[in-house]
Structures are given as C-alpha cells and as structure tokens.
C-alpha cells in the first residue's frame, strides 16, 4: 500500500470518527435547543485599522443559546470580528467600521446606542484571566455595583448565583474575602466568567479563554461552556480545532479577513464546502 493511499485511509477514518462523535453531540443538543432565534446578525461588515483592512464584507447569523466558534490562522480577523460584537474596537482610535451588526434586531453601531448598556448585555472573557486585585466577592459584585445595585442581600445572591453558574461556588464559598489573585489560573478564569455573567448579559464573548490553561483546567472550562450555553449565547475564538469541535454548535472559518465558510460544526469538520476550510481543518496549513 503506497503512502498516498494510506494517507487517504487515515483521513477517511478520522472523518468517520468525527461523524460518530458529532452525531452523539447533536442528539443531545437537539433536545437542549428545540427552538432557537437569531440573536446576532452581521451584514456586510468591514473593519479597518487606519489604512489596513482587517475584515472584508462579512455576513453571518448567530443563533441564541448556542455556541459559535470562530477559527482560522493568526491574524485572520476572528478576534477583530469578536470585538465588533460589543464595540471593544471603539477603544482603538484608528478603527473604522462599515456595515451593520444587529443584536436582537437593533443596530449596535447606531449613534443612539448606549455603549455601556451594550456591554452590559454582551459580556466578554479574555484570553488571559484578569481578576481585579480585590476579594473574590468584590470581583463578582463589581459589575452589579457599577450598574446601581447597592442592596447587600441582592449582591450576596448575585455573587452566589454567578459563582455557581461558573462552577466555582463550592471551591470558594468559605473564602469569599480572600484575594482573587490567590486562586489558581483555572479558578481565576472561572472567576472572570462569573464576573462577566453577574450583570445578566444575554451574550458571552470568549477570546481563547483556555489557551493559557493546563489540560485539566481547559477541560473544566469546556465543560462549563457546555453548561452556560443553556442560558447564554456564546461566541468563542479558539486556535484549538479539537476544542471547537467539542464545544460548538456552529463554526465560522476566517482566512485573511474573509469569512470563508460558516456552517454547523459537524459540516465544517467532516464535509466542508470550501477547499481552504478542508485544508485548514485537516492541518495542511495554519
């Protein structure tokens, strides 16, 4: 048997294994997502950093209470796209955005939009955990306080609920006054997730949330994403294609600022439409 035949057989076997795994995942997700609605819609979105164009005419529809993964090589525009969803790119002076992003039918780039309110509804978790140098309790209570919550009983309830949703309550409930920086890396990232959801967002954006974590902590974050998708619409940037396959319902493949393909994750990884997508997910480049 020559090497090319062996390579084809290996690739076929890999796709069959992926298909079996996806079939099991989709059966479970079909039960969880009997009804979905469009929460995010990008229309002809282009983003410029000064004279350099980072995104080219991207259009995509993201469904509610599902996980959408953004994949592609470094510098392809996936993090830029993620940051347009809560206007984080506004913080960069040279950025210019063309096109439309609708969240629940509202154009978030309309001049009348309150960006503070927008970011309350669209939480963000960054690649590197960034807890405040405060207590665990104060980290989670910070957002609700900023938005006007002053009742201690309400804050206590929000802190507990958010830490439970982030899978951290049982580990920290007896040391809420301890400095958040005393937590492990994986715990700090889950604390940042708790802080993000404490203000009651509809959408969670995650920019490579597990890339700096060890395998055990990464698995814990992935399990947590599976739980959070019951309550939140999640958009995650990841370089780890196995992670995208494990956690997401839909996957978008970006390349050189263009959205090459967007489809159900099973389709992207087992039967992609575009040759560039197949080359990327099979490891021929990237």
């Amino acid at each position: 048997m020559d090497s090319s035949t062996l390579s084809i057989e290996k690739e076929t076997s890999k796709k069959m294994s992926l298909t079996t795994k996806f079939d099991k995942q989709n059966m479970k997700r079909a039960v969880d997502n009997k009804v979905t609605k469009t929460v995010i819609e990008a229309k002809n979105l282009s983003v410029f950093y000064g004279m350099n164009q980072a995104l080219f005419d991207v259009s995509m529809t993201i469904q509610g209470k599902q996980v959408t993964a953004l994949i592609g090589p470094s510098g392809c525009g996936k993090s830029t796209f993620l940051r347009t969803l809560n206007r984080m790119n506004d913080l960069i002076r040279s950025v210019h955005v063309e096109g439309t992003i609708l969240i629940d039918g509202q154009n978030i780039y309309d001049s009348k939009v309150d960006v503070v309110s927008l970011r309350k509804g669209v939480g963000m978790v960054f690649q590197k955990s960034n807890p405040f140098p405060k207590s665990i309790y104060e980290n989670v209570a910070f957002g609700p306080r900023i938005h006007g919550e002053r009742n201690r009983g309400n804050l206590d309830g929000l802190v507990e609920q958010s830490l439970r949703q982030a899978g951290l309550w049982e580990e920290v409930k007896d040391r809420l006054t301890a400095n958040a920086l005393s937590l492990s890396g994986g715990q700090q990232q889950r604390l940042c997730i708790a802080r993000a959801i404490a203000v009651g967002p509809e959408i969670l954006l995650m920019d490579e949330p597990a890339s700096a974590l060890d395998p055990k902590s990464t698995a814990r974050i992935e399990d947590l994403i599976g739980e959070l998708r019951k309550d939140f619409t999640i958009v995650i940037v990841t370089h780890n294609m196995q992670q995208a396959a494990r956690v997401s319902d839909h996957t978008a493949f970006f390349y050189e600022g263009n959205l090459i393909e967007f489809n159900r994750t099973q389709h992207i990884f087992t039967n992609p439409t575009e040759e560039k997508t197949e080359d990327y997910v099979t490891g021929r480049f990237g």
Side-chain angles (χ1 to χ4, degrees):
M1 184 182 295
D2 60 36
S3 60
S4 62
T5 303
L6 183 61
S7 175
I8 291 170
E9 287 192 354
K10 283 183 178 179
E11 195 164 307
T12 301
S13 175
K14 177 182 176 183
K15 286 189 176 183
M16 288 177 66
S17 174
L18 276 169
T19 300
T20 301
K21 178 182 69 173
F22 282 123
D23 285 344
K24 291 178 180 178
Q25 289 176 341
N26 289 338
M27 286 177 66
K28 180 180 183 300
R29 288 171 179 171
V31 173
D32 293 339
N33 289 289
K34 292 179 181 177
V35 179
T36 60
K37 68 169 184 172
T38 297
V39 171
I40 302 169
E41 185 174 6
K43 296 181 178 181
N44 308 116
L45 180 71
S46 295
V47 178
F48 302 80
Y49 294 105
M51 298 297 293
N52 298 316
Q53 189 166 357
L55 286 179
F56 297 82
D57 200 32
V58 171
S59 295
M60 184 194 310
T61 298
I62 295 175
Q63 302 300 308
K65 295 189 178 178
Q66 294 194 357
V67 181
T68 298
L70 311 181
I71 64 170
S74 296
C76 67
K78 54 190 184 295
S79 289
T80 293
F81 177 78
L82 188 79
R83 290 165 181 262
T84 63
L85 301 180
N86 68 347
R87 292 182 53 172
M88 284 291 288
N89 287 323
D90 287 11
L91 302 175
I92 303 171
R93 184 175 298 176
S94 63
V95 164
H96 171 63
V97 177
E98 296 179 358
T100 304
I101 292 181
L102 304 176
I103 293 183
D104 290 331
Q106 181 182 23
N107 180 9
I108 66 170
Y109 282 88
D110 189 294
S111 59
K112 297 176 183 177
V113 168
D114 180 350
V115 177
V116 174
S117 295
L118 170 66
R119 292 177 187 154
K120 180 176 183 288
V122 186
M124 187 150 190
V125 178
F126 296 93
Q127 179 176 2
K128 185 177 180 181
S129 57
N130 57 345
F132 302 138
K134 300 174 178 284
S135 71
I136 295 167
Y137 181 99
E138 290 300 328
N139 265 267
V140 183
F142 181 84
R145 279 205 178 102
I146 289 292
H147 290 284
E149 182 59 72
R150 295 289 183 267
N151 183 283
R152 179 68 186 211
N154 291 343
L155 286 171
D156 289 350
L158 281 169
V159 168
E160 179 175 345
Q161 177 186 356
S162 302
L163 288 170
R164 285 189 183 278
Q165 286 182 287
L168 193 57
W169 175 253
E170 293 300 326
E171 298 170 42
V172 302
K173 63 182 180 181
D174 296 323
R175 51 184 180 130
L176 294 177
T177 58
N179 193 303
L181 300 179
S182 68
L183 298 174
S184 69
Q187 288 175 323
Q188 287 187 20
Q189 191 64 304
R190 281 184 281 148
L191 178 64
C192 291
I193 292 172
R195 188 175 68 194
I197 63 182
V199 295
E202 179 184 10
I203 298 164
L204 276 179
L205 310 179
M206 297 184 170
D207 194 354
E208 297 194 70
S211 64
L213 303 179
D214 60 81
K216 184 176 179 180
S217 296
T218 295
R220 186 69 188 85
I221 292 293
E222 289 181 6
D223 289 343
L224 177 57
I225 290 170
E227 290 298 313
L228 290 173
R229 62 185 288 280
K230 298 173 185 176
D231 299 308
F232 304 96
T233 300
I234 299 174
V235 185
I236 177 173
V237 166
T238 178
H239 275 102
N240 186 328
M241 285 183 288
Q242 288 77 21
Q243 183 175 84
R246 287 191 295 264
V247 306
S248 67
D249 300 283
H250 289 80
T251 297
F253 170 54
F254 285 82
Y255 182 69
E256 294 185 348
N258 293 284
L259 176 60
I260 303 300
E261 190 166 353
F262 177 57
N263 213 319
R264 292 200 65 83
T265 296
Q266 177 178 4
H267 182 93
I268 292 291
F269 282 93
T270 63
N271 190 30
T273 302
E274 301 295 329
E275 184 178 355
K276 273 194 178 71
T277 309
E278 183 165 8
D279 287 347
Y280 185 73
V281 300
T282 56
R284 290 180 186 144
F285 77 93

